[in-house]
Amino acid sequence: MDDRPVKIAPAVCGCGGRVFSVLVDASGAERECSGCGSRAFIADSEEYWNEKSWEDDEPGAAGCPCGSEAFEAAVAFSLGDDGSVLWVTVGLRCIKDGFCGVYTDWKIDYGPTDHLLTMV
């Protein structure tokens, strides 16, 4: 059993919105607020969000089995003993039926990582 500390943070848009459509791939996620249309990358996704990295894994819209693409989002940061971020996990909850799932996660292999904790 993995007993690393975890910090979980909900995604909230600058406008206060909490419902998003989300694009995901194996190395990141980008959210778009359903209220104002503002877009934001999650954690360090922007650094890897380019066509070169998409050759084998082009981003796609996250979708619920019910067909909805509107979600509340939260990010879990797995932390090392020194508090550095080791892993980022994006969880989504469907607004229509409440279905929850992990839609992408990726390893962080550099430091420092404190800035990632605010990039939800």
Side-chain angles (χ1 to χ4, degrees):
M1 178 180 211
D2 189 351
D3 59 353
R4 285 184 289 197
V6 175
K7 178 179 178 176
I8 300 173
V12 181
C13 181
C15 75
R18 294 177 178 263
V19 178
F20 305 93
S21 59
V22 182
L23 292 174
V24 296
D25 70 7
S27 60
E30 181 184 27
R31 62 177 172 79
E32 180 176 346
C33 179
S34 297
C36 73
S38 177
R39 299 176 79 90
F41 288 100
I42 294 175
D44 63 351
S45 299
E46 186 172 16
E47 295 177 38
Y48 305 99
W49 206 259
N50 58 61
E51 291 182 20
K52 182 179 178 184
S53 68
W54 295 343
E55 289 177 14
D56 297 324
D57 185 30
E58 189 169 338
C64 179
C66 78
S68 176
E69 293 182 355
F71 297 95
E72 291 177 323
V75 180
F77 298 98
S78 295
L79 307 176
D81 292 336
D82 62 355
S84 64
V85 176
L86 302 176
W87 205 265
V88 177
T89 303
V90 178
L92 303 177
R93 180 186 167 279
C94 178
I95 295 303
K96 185 175 177 183
D97 70 0
F99 176 85
C100 294
V102 170
Y103 279 75
T104 188
D105 61 349
W106 62 95
K107 184 176 176 41
I108 303 297
D109 58 2
Y110 61 85
T113 60
D114 294 345
H115 67 288
L116 299 176
L117 297 171
T118 62
M119 301 174 75
V120 177

